[in-house]
Amino acid sequence: MRTMRLALIIGALLSSSACGIQPWVKPYERDRLADPIMAWDRDAISSAYLDHIREAREGARGGTGSAGGGCGCN
Amino acid sequence: MSPAYRHLTQLAAFTALLLVRASSADVLPEDRADIFYSKYSGGGMDITGESVLVRKKVTENFAVEANYFVDKVSGASVDVLSNASVIKDERKQKTGTIEYLHDKTTYSLSYINSTERDYISNTTHASLSQDMFGDLTTLTLGWGLTRDGVGENDGTAFVPRIVWLGHAESQSYSAGLSQILTKNLIAGLNLEVITDNGYLANPYRSIRFLDPSNPKGYSLGSQVYPDTRTSTAIQGQAKYYLPWRAALTGSYRYYHDTWDITGDTYEIDYTHPLANIWILEGRLRYYKQGHASFYSDIFPYADYQNFMARDQDLASAENTTIGAKITYAFLPDGWKMFKRGTATLDISRINFHYLDFTDIKDYGLPEYQPGDEPLYHFNATVFQIYMSMFF
């Protein structure tokens, strides 16, 4: 119940603040950010494979943004 | 599901409902096709991977993606080899994804099927991504459900006899935030909670316990795992555009679960393009984990405690990765229907070092008492080569 009340407050703040915030980096200033080298993940097929290897050999999993999928990898 | 996680899902759903608002349109990622080959060698294992991925926009707002991946495994990890069990297997994974863009919201739905002789996994994953605050912020919420069938090969690699042992189910809940901070700097934060239940053990691994009646000084026994596991991972990352046109990325991930495994991951990447034809990338990654509460390299006797494991993936360990990647644009200006084409070579070298898991395959009595064998370590090389066509 406390969590839902907090969610309502956060939601109200999000809704109200989104209307008033002006972007401090203008669209014409984002040319560097649009450069392909600034993409979080240029090659999803490669990073998904590396995540798969790591999850097969490490105890930790998740938090990297990949969609997951199981295997019996020994 | 515990009350805390029920509230987390309710909060995520509520937040998602707030975010759909009419505004100027965004675009879906470009169409592409990738052919991929990989090889992993290390720790007694050789694994080759072959994959094809195709992504196509059906309309400006609707895209589909399909991926087919085949792993071929030969050899086995050291604790499996210690039990004189050799594996030769093939895993096939098929993934289908649909994406729909409406104003500034992207909806994505994926289905992943992975099939091996002794393991079947089916995953459904849905996500919602919303641009906000003048496109400076992107919020992504995700949910996944995985159902696995777990079996064991009681025969040999060439004459298998599969015994199905049970099922496992996993649900994941994720939230990610990507934020433009300055015209040169972006930051991201990802949180993921995963909760598993069912048959979570590895049937090919065993515990060992002291046994003076055995010539080796120890005997092997069955692992006993809890049938539930809940984990939390939170990753922060930042990417900075350097003045000479290069990118520097740093990230840290903290992990903890109800098996008491903790993990810290640090990674740094440097990307440097050359003359719009080449992209060079170097990376360094360090991972350290603390062992599961029910893990031990050797137990004093059989049935020592309720839950017992000697799985190397649950041991205290660290690994360091150094990697390099080079991408060549062999069609920088496109050709006919293709906007551009690239070829990439990626090589990683990983050093694994275990802090409380010993190598009992190569060492034992009379030179080493049970439990005093040298700690296990190995190096692995990961080789990837792929071609990507954009159209």
Side-chain angles (χ1 to χ4, degrees):
Chain A
M1 196 56 206
R2 193 181 299 172
T3 309
M4 283 311 296
R5 205 174 296 151
L6 181 61
L8 280 165
I9 294 169
I10 291 170
L13 284 172
L14 278 175
S15 298
S16 60
S17 62
C19 302
I21 290 179
Q22 296 299 317
W24 56 90
V25 180
K26 307 296 180 197
Y28 55 83
E29 294 177 314
R30 297 178 199 175
D31 54 320
R32 290 180 170 184
L33 302 174
D35 193 319
I37 65 171
M38 288 296 285
W40 284 123
D41 190 1
R42 282 188 295 123
D43 297 307
I45 199 170
S46 168
S47 52
Y49 178 70
L50 287 174
D51 281 345
H52 167 68
I53 288 175
R54 288 160 183 163
E55 291 204 2
R57 287 275 78 88
E58 296 172 355
R61 70 256 175 97
T64 59
S66 53
C71 77
C73 305
N74 286 306
Chain B
M1 192 192 306
S2 71
Y5 294 116
R6 197 159 46 238
H7 286 161
L8 183 65
T9 56
Q10 290 167 350
L11 177 63
F14 178 77
T15 309
L17 287 173
L18 292 176
L19 299 178
V20 180
R21 54 183 76 245
S23 138
S24 61
D26 210 325
V27 292
L28 291 172
E30 55 189 338
D31 296 344
R32 64 186 293 167
D34 299 79
I35 298 175
F36 173 93
Y37 174 81
S38 63
K39 182 162 184 185
Y40 170 100
S41 298
M45 304 183 75
D46 279 302
I47 309 170
T48 60
E50 296 156 0
S51 179
V52 174
L53 180 144
V54 177
R55 180 190 173 84
K56 182 80 179 74
K57 282 197 285 289
V58 179
T59 68
E60 283 306 307
N61 295 76
F62 185 72
V64 294
E65 183 177 298
N67 176 235
Y68 183 69
F69 189 95
V70 180
D71 266 327
K72 292 175 187 170
V73 183
S74 61
S77 54
V78 66
D79 45 1
V80 179
L81 285 172
S82 304
N83 299 338
S85 170
V86 178
I87 288 175
K88 203 169 184 71
D89 202 359
E90 184 174 281
R91 184 179 78 96
K92 294 176 183 169
Q93 178 170 295
K94 300 164 208 161
T95 307
T97 303
I98 55 174
E99 279 188 9
Y100 176 64
L101 172 66
H102 176 71
D103 290 330
K104 289 194 174 299
T105 310
T106 304
Y107 304 87
S108 173
L109 183 66
S110 298
Y111 178 75
I112 307 168
N113 167 261
S114 169
T115 306
E116 305 162 62
R117 257 190 318 217
D118 54 2
Y119 204 99
I120 298 172
S121 176
N122 292 293
T123 300
T124 303
H125 187 266
S127 72
L128 176 153
S129 184
Q130 173 75 40
D131 288 339
M132 308 153 51
F133 304 139
D135 295 346
L136 292 185
T137 306
T138 303
L139 178 67
T140 303
L141 300 174
W143 169 83
L145 173 65
T146 300
R147 289 203 167 108
D148 298 341
V150 185
E152 180 182 12
N153 182 7
D154 257 357
T156 66
F158 301 99
V159 186
R161 191 176 77 88
I162 307 300
V163 176
W164 292 100
L165 303 173
H167 294 88
E169 183 176 291
S170 173
Q171 290 199 54
S172 68
Y173 307 88
S174 61
L177 195 73
S178 178
Q179 177 68 51
I180 293 174
L181 296 175
T182 72
K183 58 184 180 182
N184 296 313
L185 179 65
I186 53 174
L189 194 64
N190 292 302
L191 167 70
E192 186 166 5
V193 173
I194 303 174
T195 179
D196 305 324
N197 67 83
Y199 190 95
L200 305 181
N202 186 319
Y204 299 102
R205 293 176 180 174
S206 307
I207 58 141
R208 65 170 182 156
F209 56 91
L210 290 170
D211 184 359
S213 67
N214 189 306
K216 287 186 176 179
Y218 63 85
S219 290
L220 301 179
S222 299
Q223 298 195 114
V224 184
Y225 274 44
D227 57 9
T228 60
R229 179 185 187 187
T230 300
S231 65
T232 304
I234 181 160
Q235 175 174 278
Q237 51 186 351
K239 194 181 272 281
Y240 186 73
Y241 189 97
L242 296 162
W244 54 87
R245 196 188 170 217
L248 186 65
T249 310
S251 71
Y252 168 71
R253 179 185 65 169
Y254 172 75
Y255 173 90
H256 182 254
D257 66 22
T258 51
W259 289 359
D260 271 343
I261 298 173
T262 57
D264 296 282
T265 311
Y266 306 85
E267 185 163 348
I268 186 164
D269 292 78
Y270 177 75
T271 305
H272 190 108
L274 289 174
N276 226 30
I277 302 286
W278 300 90
I279 299 179
L280 310 176
E281 187 175 317
R283 63 179 171 270
L284 190 61
R285 179 183 184 271
Y286 174 74
Y287 171 78
K288 184 168 184 177
Q289 78 176 33
H291 64 221
S293 58
F294 52 95
Y295 169 87
S296 180
D297 182 61
I298 187 164
F299 292 93
Y301 49 87
D303 302 322
Y304 176 72
Q305 57 193 40
N306 286 345
F307 301 118
M308 296 183 290
R310 193 184 176 270
D311 189 329
Q312 66 183 112
D313 298 344
L314 306 186
S316 293
E318 56 188 9
N319 67 64
T320 305
T321 304
I322 184 163
K325 179 159 115 175
I326 181 165
T327 301
Y328 172 61
F330 59 88
L331 288 177
D333 301 318
W335 179 69
K336 295 194 175 179
M337 62 185 273
F338 299 108
K339 290 179 187 172
R340 70 182 192 282
T342 60
T344 302
L345 172 64
D346 187 315
I347 299 176
S348 298
R349 182 77 172 163
I350 314 172
N351 171 259
F352 291 87
H353 178 61
Y354 293 85
L355 306 175
D356 57 9
F357 176 84
T358 56
D359 182 356
I360 63 172
K361 174 178 163 285
D362 297 321
Y363 302 99
L365 289 172
E367 193 179 354
Y368 297 98
Q369 291 295 315
D372 291 336
E373 298 91 347
L375 295 172
Y376 183 57
H377 63 90
F378 71 95
N379 295 314
T381 303
V382 184
F383 170 86
Q384 302 175 68
I385 185 165
Y386 50 97
M387 186 169 73
S388 307
M389 302 295 291
F390 299 85
F391 52 96

